[in-house]
mmCIF file of all heavy atoms in Angstrom:
data_model
loop_
_atom_site.group_PDB
_atom_site.id
_atom_site.type_symbol
_atom_site.label_atom_id
_atom_site.label_comp_id
_atom_site.label_asym_id
_atom_site.label_seq_id
_atom_site.Cartn_x
_atom_site.Cartn_y
_atom_site.Cartn_z
ATOM 1 N N LEU A 10 99.104 118.331 128.596
ATOM 2 C CA LEU A 10 98.849 118.640 127.197
ATOM 3 C C LEU A 10 99.979 119.471 126.620
ATOM 4 O O LEU A 10 100.453 119.240 125.502
ATOM 5 C CB LEU A 10 97.517 119.392 127.078
ATOM 6 C CG LEU A 10 97.091 119.806 125.664
ATOM 7 C CD1 LEU A 10 96.915 118.561 124.793
ATOM 8 C CD2 LEU A 10 95.790 120.606 125.705
ATOM 9 N N SER A 11 100.446 120.462 127.416
ATOM 10 C CA SER A 11 101.545 121.306 126.953
ATOM 11 C C SER A 11 102.806 120.492 126.720
ATOM 12 O O SER A 11 103.493 120.659 125.714
ATOM 13 C CB SER A 11 101.805 122.403 127.987
ATOM 14 O OG SER A 11 102.911 123.189 127.610
ATOM 15 N N ARG A 12 103.099 119.593 127.670
ATOM 16 C CA ARG A 12 104.281 118.743 127.517
ATOM 17 C C ARG A 12 104.160 117.870 126.280
ATOM 18 O O ARG A 12 105.125 117.652 125.546
ATOM 19 C CB ARG A 12 104.455 117.869 128.751
ATOM 20 C CG ARG A 12 104.961 118.615 129.978
ATOM 21 C CD ARG A 12 105.086 117.670 131.166
ATOM 22 N NE ARG A 12 105.533 118.358 132.358
ATOM 23 C CZ ARG A 12 105.632 117.775 133.543
ATOM 24 N NH1 ARG A 12 105.291 116.504 133.689
ATOM 25 N NH2 ARG A 12 106.051 118.464 134.587
ATOM 26 N N GLY A 13 102.933 117.364 126.046
ATOM 27 C CA GLY A 13 102.709 116.523 124.874
ATOM 28 C C GLY A 13 102.958 117.279 123.581
ATOM 29 O O GLY A 13 103.570 116.763 122.648
ATOM 30 N N LYS A 14 102.496 118.541 123.534
ATOM 31 C CA LYS A 14 102.713 119.361 122.342
ATOM 32 C C LYS A 14 104.193 119.631 122.125
ATOM 33 O O LYS A 14 104.698 119.566 121.002
ATOM 34 C CB LYS A 14 101.948 120.675 122.468
ATOM 35 C CG LYS A 14 100.450 120.523 122.280
ATOM 36 C CD LYS A 14 99.755 121.870 122.376
ATOM 37 C CE LYS A 14 98.268 121.755 122.130
ATOM 38 N NZ LYS A 14 97.575 123.061 122.251
ATOM 39 N N LEU A 15 104.894 119.963 123.239
ATOM 40 C CA LEU A 15 106.316 120.227 123.120
ATOM 41 C C LEU A 15 107.063 118.989 122.643
ATOM 42 O O LEU A 15 107.961 119.078 121.806
ATOM 43 C CB LEU A 15 106.870 120.688 124.481
ATOM 44 C CG LEU A 15 106.483 122.103 124.916
ATOM 45 C CD1 LEU A 15 106.941 122.358 126.344
ATOM 46 C CD2 LEU A 15 107.071 123.144 123.970
ATOM 47 N N TRP A 16 106.689 117.806 123.186
ATOM 48 C CA TRP A 16 107.346 116.565 122.774
ATOM 49 C C TRP A 16 107.097 116.312 121.293
ATOM 50 O O TRP A 16 108.005 115.953 120.554
ATOM 51 C CB TRP A 16 106.802 115.403 123.599
ATOM 52 C CG TRP A 16 107.426 114.095 123.259
ATOM 53 C CD1 TRP A 16 108.596 113.582 123.754
ATOM 54 C CD2 TRP A 16 106.932 113.113 122.349
ATOM 55 N NE1 TRP A 16 108.857 112.358 123.211
ATOM 56 C CE2 TRP A 16 107.854 112.043 122.347
ATOM 57 C CE3 TRP A 16 105.802 113.028 121.539
ATOM 58 C CZ2 TRP A 16 107.670 110.910 121.568
ATOM 59 C CZ3 TRP A 16 105.623 111.904 120.762
ATOM 60 C CH2 TRP A 16 106.540 110.868 120.781
ATOM 61 N N SER A 17 105.844 116.548 120.848
ATOM 62 C CA SER A 17 105.511 116.339 119.443
ATOM 63 C C SER A 17 106.304 117.277 118.557
ATOM 64 O O SER A 17 106.811 116.887 117.503
ATOM 65 C CB SER A 17 104.005 116.549 119.230
ATOM 66 O OG SER A 17 103.668 116.405 117.873
ATOM 67 N N GLN A 18 106.414 118.552 118.984
ATOM 68 C CA GLN A 18 107.174 119.525 118.204
ATOM 69 C C GLN A 18 108.646 119.142 118.139
ATOM 70 O O GLN A 18 109.299 119.286 117.109
ATOM 71 C CB GLN A 18 107.003 120.919 118.813
ATOM 72 C CG GLN A 18 105.602 121.479 118.650
ATOM 73 C CD GLN A 18 105.372 122.706 119.500
ATOM 74 O OE1 GLN A 18 106.258 123.125 120.253
ATOM 75 N NE2 GLN A 18 104.193 123.296 119.412
ATOM 76 N N ASP A 19 109.165 118.650 119.281
ATOM 77 C CA ASP A 19 110.562 118.236 119.311
ATOM 78 C C ASP A 19 110.802 117.067 118.362
ATOM 79 O O ASP A 19 111.815 117.022 117.672
ATOM 80 C CB ASP A 19 110.945 117.839 120.740
ATOM 81 C CG ASP A 19 112.406 117.406 120.838
ATOM 82 O OD1 ASP A 19 113.265 118.269 120.636
ATOM 83 O OD2 ASP A 19 112.660 116.226 121.120
ATOM 84 N N ARG A 20 109.863 116.124 118.325
ATOM 85 C CA ARG A 20 110.010 114.984 117.413
ATOM 86 C C ARG A 20 110.016 115.455 115.962
ATOM 87 O O ARG A 20 110.754 114.921 115.132
ATOM 88 C CB ARG A 20 108.865 113.991 117.633
ATOM 89 C CG ARG A 20 108.924 113.255 118.946
ATOM 90 C CD ARG A 20 109.922 112.139 118.913
ATOM 91 N NE ARG A 20 109.544 111.110 117.999
ATOM 92 C CZ ARG A 20 109.932 109.855 118.088
ATOM 93 N NH1 ARG A 20 110.700 109.487 119.085
ATOM 94 N NH2 ARG A 20 109.578 108.965 117.195
ATOM 95 N N ALA A 21 109.184 116.447 115.649
ATOM 96 C CA ALA A 21 109.140 116.958 114.280
ATOM 97 C C ALA A 21 110.437 117.663 113.926
ATOM 98 O O ALA A 21 110.938 117.563 112.807
ATOM 99 C CB ALA A 21 107.949 117.909 114.123
ATOM 100 N N ALA A 22 110.985 118.405 114.895
ATOM 101 C CA ALA A 22 112.229 119.128 114.643
ATOM 102 C C ALA A 22 113.431 118.195 114.625
ATOM 103 O O ALA A 22 114.426 118.469 113.969
ATOM 104 C CB ALA A 22 112.425 120.202 115.711
ATOM 105 N N ASN A 23 113.336 117.083 115.354
ATOM 106 C CA ASN A 23 114.433 116.128 115.432
ATOM 107 C C ASN A 23 113.904 114.739 115.078
ATOM 108 O O ASN A 23 113.481 113.984 115.954
ATOM 109 C CB ASN A 23 115.035 116.132 116.840
ATOM 110 C CG ASN A 23 116.169 115.119 116.964
ATOM 111 O OD1 ASN A 23 116.729 114.680 115.958
ATOM 112 N ND2 ASN A 23 116.500 114.740 118.189
ATOM 113 N N PRO A 24 113.899 114.399 113.801
ATOM 114 C CA PRO A 24 113.287 113.130 113.367
ATOM 115 C C PRO A 24 114.055 111.887 113.788
ATOM 116 O O PRO A 24 113.585 110.787 113.616
ATOM 117 C CB PRO A 24 113.270 113.276 111.836
ATOM 118 C CG PRO A 24 114.375 114.233 111.534
ATOM 119 C CD PRO A 24 114.408 115.194 112.681
ATOM 120 N N ARG A 25 115.261 112.061 114.338
ATOM 121 C CA ARG A 25 116.062 110.929 114.822
ATOM 122 C C ARG A 25 116.193 109.873 113.730
ATOM 123 O O ARG A 25 115.917 108.698 113.939
ATOM 124 C CB ARG A 25 115.437 110.358 116.098
ATOM 125 C CG ARG A 25 115.346 111.357 117.227
ATOM 126 C CD ARG A 25 114.504 110.883 118.397
ATOM 127 N NE ARG A 25 115.100 109.718 119.025
ATOM 128 C CZ ARG A 25 114.437 108.579 119.211
ATOM 129 N NH1 ARG A 25 113.207 108.426 118.792
ATOM 130 N NH2 ARG A 25 115.040 107.567 119.821
ATOM 131 N N ARG A 26 116.607 110.302 112.585
ATOM 132 C CA ARG A 26 116.711 109.394 111.442
ATOM 133 C C ARG A 26 117.707 108.266 111.699
ATOM 134 O O ARG A 26 118.698 108.437 112.410
ATOM 135 C CB ARG A 26 117.130 110.168 110.189
ATOM 136 C CG ARG A 26 116.102 111.177 109.717
ATOM 137 C CD ARG A 26 116.496 111.850 108.406
ATOM 138 N NE ARG A 26 115.390 112.666 107.935
ATOM 139 C CZ ARG A 26 115.261 113.968 108.182
ATOM 140 N NH1 ARG A 26 116.207 114.616 108.858
ATOM 141 N NH2 ARG A 26 114.210 114.628 107.744
ATOM 142 N N LEU A 27 117.441 107.139 111.099
ATOM 143 C CA LEU A 27 118.384 106.026 111.062
ATOM 144 C C LEU A 27 118.915 105.938 109.637
ATOM 145 O O LEU A 27 118.153 105.767 108.696
ATOM 146 C CB LEU A 27 117.692 104.712 111.456
ATOM 147 C CG LEU A 27 117.101 104.661 112.860
ATOM 148 C CD1 LEU A 27 116.466 103.298 113.119
ATOM 149 C CD2 LEU A 27 118.153 104.962 113.928
ATOM 150 N N ASP A 28 120.211 106.075 109.493
ATOM 151 C CA ASP A 28 120.866 106.081 108.184
ATOM 152 C C ASP A 28 121.428 104.683 107.915
ATOM 153 O O ASP A 28 122.434 104.281 108.502
ATOM 154 C CB ASP A 28 121.979 107.130 108.172
ATOM 155 C CG ASP A 28 122.660 107.261 106.814
ATOM 156 O OD1 ASP A 28 122.339 106.470 105.897
ATOM 157 O OD2 ASP A 28 123.515 108.150 106.677
ATOM 158 N N LEU A 29 120.790 103.962 107.007
ATOM 159 C CA LEU A 29 121.179 102.578 106.744
ATOM 160 C C LEU A 29 122.161 102.432 105.577
ATOM 161 O O LEU A 29 122.520 101.315 105.216
ATOM 162 C CB LEU A 29 119.929 101.719 106.482
ATOM 163 C CG LEU A 29 119.273 101.161 107.753
ATOM 164 C CD1 LEU A 29 118.715 102.265 108.630
ATOM 165 C CD2 LEU A 29 118.195 100.158 107.426
ATOM 166 N N HIS A 30 122.581 103.528 105.008
ATOM 167 C CA HIS A 30 123.557 103.493 103.909
ATOM 168 C C HIS A 30 124.635 104.520 104.243
ATOM 169 O O HIS A 30 124.614 105.665 103.774
ATOM 170 C CB HIS A 30 122.861 103.824 102.588
ATOM 171 C CG HIS A 30 123.740 103.715 101.380
ATOM 172 N ND1 HIS A 30 123.229 103.419 100.130
ATOM 173 C CD2 HIS A 30 125.075 103.871 101.195
ATOM 174 C CE1 HIS A 30 124.219 103.401 99.245
ATOM 175 N NE2 HIS A 30 125.347 103.689 99.878
ATOM 176 N N HIS A 31 125.581 104.100 105.072
ATOM 177 C CA HIS A 31 126.569 105.026 105.627
ATOM 178 C C HIS A 31 127.897 104.277 105.738
ATOM 179 O O HIS A 31 127.992 103.280 106.448
ATOM 180 C CB HIS A 31 126.091 105.483 107.010
ATOM 181 C CG HIS A 31 126.914 106.569 107.618
ATOM 182 N ND1 HIS A 31 126.496 107.873 107.682
ATOM 183 C CD2 HIS A 31 128.138 106.537 108.208
ATOM 184 C CE1 HIS A 31 127.419 108.606 108.291
ATOM 185 N NE2 HIS A 31 128.431 107.803 108.618
ATOM 186 N N HIS A 32 128.902 104.776 105.036
ATOM 187 C CA HIS A 32 130.155 104.030 104.908
ATOM 188 C C HIS A 32 131.222 104.504 105.896
ATOM 189 O O HIS A 32 131.174 105.624 106.413
ATOM 190 C CB HIS A 32 130.683 104.144 103.483
ATOM 191 C CG HIS A 32 129.724 103.641 102.459
ATOM 192 N ND1 HIS A 32 129.207 102.363 102.507
ATOM 193 C CD2 HIS A 32 129.164 104.241 101.375
ATOM 194 C CE1 HIS A 32 128.387 102.196 101.486
ATOM 195 N NE2 HIS A 32 128.334 103.317 100.789
ATOM 196 N N PHE A 33 132.175 103.638 106.107
ATOM 197 C CA PHE A 33 133.322 103.942 106.955
ATOM 198 C C PHE A 33 134.524 103.203 106.385
ATOM 199 O O PHE A 33 134.410 102.386 105.476
ATOM 200 C CB PHE A 33 133.058 103.489 108.398
ATOM 201 C CG PHE A 33 133.258 102.012 108.622
ATOM 202 C CD1 PHE A 33 134.308 101.547 109.400
ATOM 203 C CD2 PHE A 33 132.410 101.074 108.031
ATOM 204 C CE1 PHE A 33 134.508 100.185 109.602
ATOM 205 C CE2 PHE A 33 132.600 99.713 108.237
ATOM 206 C CZ PHE A 33 133.645 99.265 109.018
ATOM 207 N N VAL A 34 135.697 103.481 106.950
ATOM 208 C CA VAL A 34 136.900 102.801 106.492
ATOM 209 C C VAL A 34 137.925 102.801 107.624
ATOM 210 O O VAL A 34 138.074 103.791 108.338
ATOM 211 C CB VAL A 34 137.464 103.475 105.222
ATOM 212 C CG1 VAL A 34 137.968 104.879 105.508
ATOM 213 C CG2 VAL A 34 138.535 102.640 104.567
ATOM 214 N N SER A 35 138.584 101.667 107.796
ATOM 215 C CA SER A 35 139.678 101.593 108.774
ATOM 216 C C SER A 35 140.949 102.145 108.140
ATOM 217 O O SER A 35 141.037 102.313 106.911
ATOM 218 C CB SER A 35 139.897 100.145 109.203
ATOM 219 O OG SER A 35 140.403 99.370 108.122
ATOM 220 N N ASP A 36 141.955 102.401 108.946
ATOM 221 C CA ASP A 36 143.200 102.955 108.415
ATOM 222 C C ASP A 36 143.859 101.999 107.424
ATOM 223 O O ASP A 36 144.428 102.430 106.411
ATOM 224 C CB ASP A 36 144.161 103.270 109.562
ATOM 225 C CG ASP A 36 143.722 104.470 110.379
ATOM 226 O OD1 ASP A 36 142.889 105.254 109.879
ATOM 227 O OD2 ASP A 36 144.204 104.624 111.513
ATOM 228 N N ARG A 37 143.807 100.702 107.711
ATOM 229 C CA ARG A 37 144.442 99.731 106.807
ATOM 230 C C ARG A 37 143.752 99.691 105.456
ATOM 231 O O ARG A 37 144.409 99.629 104.406
ATOM 232 C CB ARG A 37 144.440 98.338 107.445
ATOM 233 C CG ARG A 37 145.411 98.176 108.594
ATOM 234 C CD ARG A 37 145.376 96.770 109.157
ATOM 235 N NE ARG A 37 145.824 95.769 108.172
ATOM 236 C CZ ARG A 37 145.773 94.465 108.367
ATOM 237 N NH1 ARG A 37 145.279 93.987 109.516
ATOM 238 N NH2 ARG A 37 146.208 93.630 107.444
ATOM 239 N N VAL A 38 142.434 99.732 105.457
ATOM 240 C CA VAL A 38 141.708 99.714 104.188
ATOM 241 C C VAL A 38 141.860 101.046 103.470
ATOM 242 O O VAL A 38 141.966 101.100 102.236
ATOM 243 C CB VAL A 38 140.228 99.359 104.416
ATOM 244 C CG1 VAL A 38 139.428 99.489 103.118
ATOM 245 C CG2 VAL A 38 140.111 97.929 104.948
ATOM 246 N N LYS A 39 141.918 102.125 104.217
ATOM 247 C CA LYS A 39 142.159 103.441 103.609
ATOM 248 C C LYS A 39 143.478 103.427 102.826
ATOM 249 O O LYS A 39 143.561 103.947 101.700
ATOM 250 C CB LYS A 39 142.189 104.513 104.692
ATOM 251 C CG LYS A 39 142.348 105.928 104.184
ATOM 252 C CD LYS A 39 142.510 106.917 105.334
ATOM 253 C CE LYS A 39 141.281 107.052 106.167
ATOM 254 N NZ LYS A 39 141.381 108.160 107.166
ATOM 255 N N LYS A 40 144.483 102.818 103.412
ATOM 256 C CA LYS A 40 145.785 102.726 102.742
ATOM 257 C C LYS A 40 145.698 101.885 101.470
ATOM 258 O O LYS A 40 146.247 102.258 100.429
ATOM 259 C CB LYS A 40 146.819 102.131 103.697
ATOM 260 C CG LYS A 40 148.216 102.001 103.100
ATOM 261 C CD LYS A 40 149.183 101.407 104.105
ATOM 262 C CE LYS A 40 150.573 101.227 103.481
ATOM 263 N NZ LYS A 40 151.527 100.602 104.442
ATOM 264 N N ARG A 41 144.996 100.756 101.537
ATOM 265 C CA ARG A 41 144.860 99.890 100.357
ATOM 266 C C ARG A 41 144.063 100.579 99.265
ATOM 267 O O ARG A 41 144.356 100.412 98.069
ATOM 268 C CB ARG A 41 144.196 98.573 100.741
ATOM 269 C CG ARG A 41 145.100 97.605 101.447
ATOM 270 C CD ARG A 41 146.189 97.058 100.475
ATOM 271 N NE ARG A 41 145.605 96.198 99.459
ATOM 272 C CZ ARG A 41 145.672 96.413 98.150
ATOM 273 N NH1 ARG A 41 146.307 97.481 97.682
ATOM 274 N NH2 ARG A 41 145.131 95.562 97.294
ATOM 275 N N LEU A 42 143.066 101.355 99.651
ATOM 276 C CA LEU A 42 142.304 102.098 98.645
ATOM 277 C C LEU A 42 143.197 103.094 97.922
ATOM 278 O O LEU A 42 143.117 103.241 96.692
ATOM 279 C CB LEU A 42 141.134 102.835 99.319
ATOM 280 C CG LEU A 42 139.923 101.994 99.685
ATOM 281 C CD1 LEU A 42 139.002 102.779 100.625
ATOM 282 C CD2 LEU A 42 139.166 101.549 98.449
ATOM 283 N N ALA A 43 144.050 103.781 98.670
ATOM 284 C CA ALA A 43 144.963 104.743 98.048
ATOM 285 C C ALA A 43 145.928 104.057 97.102
ATOM 286 O O ALA A 43 146.301 104.613 96.060
ATOM 287 C CB ALA A 43 145.719 105.514 99.133
ATOM 288 N N GLU A 44 146.343 102.855 97.447
ATOM 289 C CA GLU A 44 147.249 102.097 96.571
ATOM 290 C C GLU A 44 146.547 101.619 95.312
ATOM 291 O O GLU A 44 147.132 101.607 94.229
ATOM 292 C CB GLU A 44 147.814 100.890 97.333
ATOM 293 C CG GLU A 44 148.750 101.256 98.469
ATOM 294 C CD GLU A 44 149.059 100.072 99.379
ATOM 295 O OE1 GLU A 44 148.432 99.003 99.216
ATOM 296 O OE2 GLU A 44 149.943 100.213 100.252
ATOM 297 N N SER A 45 145.289 101.240 95.442
ATOM 298 C CA SER A 45 144.568 100.658 94.302
ATOM 299 C C SER A 45 144.027 101.712 93.350
ATOM 300 O O SER A 45 143.848 101.460 92.160
ATOM 301 C CB SER A 45 143.405 99.807 94.796
ATOM 302 O OG SER A 45 142.357 100.614 95.308
ATOM 303 N N LYS A 46 143.707 102.898 93.890
ATOM 304 C CA LYS A 46 143.111 103.980 93.106
ATOM 305 C C LYS A 46 141.787 103.563 92.460
ATOM 306 O O LYS A 46 141.392 104.110 91.428
ATOM 307 C CB LYS A 46 144.086 104.470 92.013
ATOM 308 C CG LYS A 46 145.386 105.053 92.543
ATOM 309 C CD LYS A 46 145.168 106.354 93.283
ATOM 310 C CE LYS A 46 146.472 107.099 93.526
ATOM 311 N NZ LYS A 46 147.392 106.418 94.449
ATOM 312 N N ARG A 47 141.083 102.601 93.087
ATOM 313 C CA ARG A 47 139.752 102.259 92.599
ATOM 314 C C ARG A 47 138.812 103.429 92.836
ATOM 315 O O ARG A 47 139.000 104.240 93.739
ATOM 316 C CB ARG A 47 139.223 101.005 93.307
ATOM 317 C CG ARG A 47 139.851 99.697 92.851
ATOM 318 C CD ARG A 47 139.369 99.261 91.473
ATOM 319 N NE ARG A 47 137.947 98.956 91.471
ATOM 320 C CZ ARG A 47 137.440 97.740 91.669
ATOM 321 N NH1 ARG A 47 138.250 96.707 91.926
ATOM 322 N NH2 ARG A 47 136.136 97.533 91.626
ATOM 323 N N GLN A 48 137.763 103.512 92.035
ATOM 324 C CA GLN A 48 136.866 104.658 92.095
ATOM 325 C C GLN A 48 136.382 104.920 93.521
ATOM 326 O O GLN A 48 135.969 104.007 94.227
ATOM 327 C CB GLN A 48 135.658 104.418 91.190
ATOM 328 C CG GLN A 48 134.742 105.620 91.107
ATOM 329 C CD GLN A 48 133.745 105.501 89.975
ATOM 330 O OE1 GLN A 48 133.847 104.610 89.161
ATOM 331 N NE2 GLN A 48 132.791 106.396 89.914
ATOM 332 N N GLY A 49 136.439 106.180 93.915
ATOM 333 C CA GLY A 49 136.004 106.584 95.241
ATOM 334 C C GLY A 49 137.090 106.567 96.291
ATOM 335 O O GLY A 49 136.861 107.000 97.428
ATOM 336 N N TRP A 50 138.283 106.100 95.933
ATOM 337 C CA TRP A 50 139.348 105.963 96.931
ATOM 338 C C TRP A 50 139.665 107.287 97.615
ATOM 339 O O TRP A 50 139.920 107.352 98.825
ATOM 340 C CB TRP A 50 140.614 105.404 96.278
ATOM 341 C CG TRP A 50 141.304 106.378 95.354
ATOM 342 C CD1 TRP A 50 141.070 106.561 94.029
ATOM 343 C CD2 TRP A 50 142.321 107.316 95.720
ATOM 344 N NE1 TRP A 50 141.870 107.558 93.523
ATOM 345 C CE2 TRP A 50 142.651 108.038 94.540
ATOM 346 C CE3 TRP A 50 142.982 107.616 96.901
ATOM 347 C CZ2 TRP A 50 143.615 109.033 94.523
ATOM 348 C CZ3 TRP A 50 143.941 108.618 96.896
ATOM 349 C CH2 TRP A 50 144.256 109.317 95.706
ATOM 350 N N ASP A 51 139.651 108.388 96.818
ATOM 351 C CA ASP A 51 140.045 109.680 97.354
ATOM 352 C C ASP A 51 139.043 110.209 98.380
ATOM 353 O O ASP A 51 139.423 110.916 99.324
ATOM 354 C CB ASP A 51 140.237 110.695 96.232
ATOM 355 C CG ASP A 51 139.074 110.728 95.253
ATOM 356 O OD1 ASP A 51 138.325 109.736 95.177
ATOM 357 O OD2 ASP A 51 138.907 111.748 94.554
ATOM 358 N N THR A 52 137.777 109.851 98.224
ATOM 359 C CA THR A 52 136.755 110.296 99.173
ATOM 360 C C THR A 52 137.061 109.806 100.579
ATOM 361 O O THR A 52 136.842 110.515 101.569
ATOM 362 C CB THR A 52 135.369 109.795 98.731
ATOM 363 O OG1 THR A 52 135.039 110.382 97.472
ATOM 364 C CG2 THR A 52 134.297 110.153 99.752
#
Side-chain angles (χ1 to χ4, degrees):
L10 180 61
S11 177
R12 286 179 181 175
K14 286 182 177 179
L15 287 173
W16 181 85
S17 178
Q18 291 168 358
D19 180 66
R20 290 282 294 205
N23 179 19
R25 300 169 64 234
R26 295 185 173 94
L27 299 181
D28 183 355
L29 274 65
H30 184 152
H31 188 105
H32 302 304
F33 79 112
V34 66
S35 68
D36 288 342
R37 288 181 64 186
V38 174
K39 183 186 293 188
K40 180 180 178 182
R41 283 291 291 120
L42 283 167
E44 292 168 352
S45 72
K46 298 292 193 293
R47 285 286 295 267
Q48 185 166 351
W50 71 272
D51 49 338
T52 297

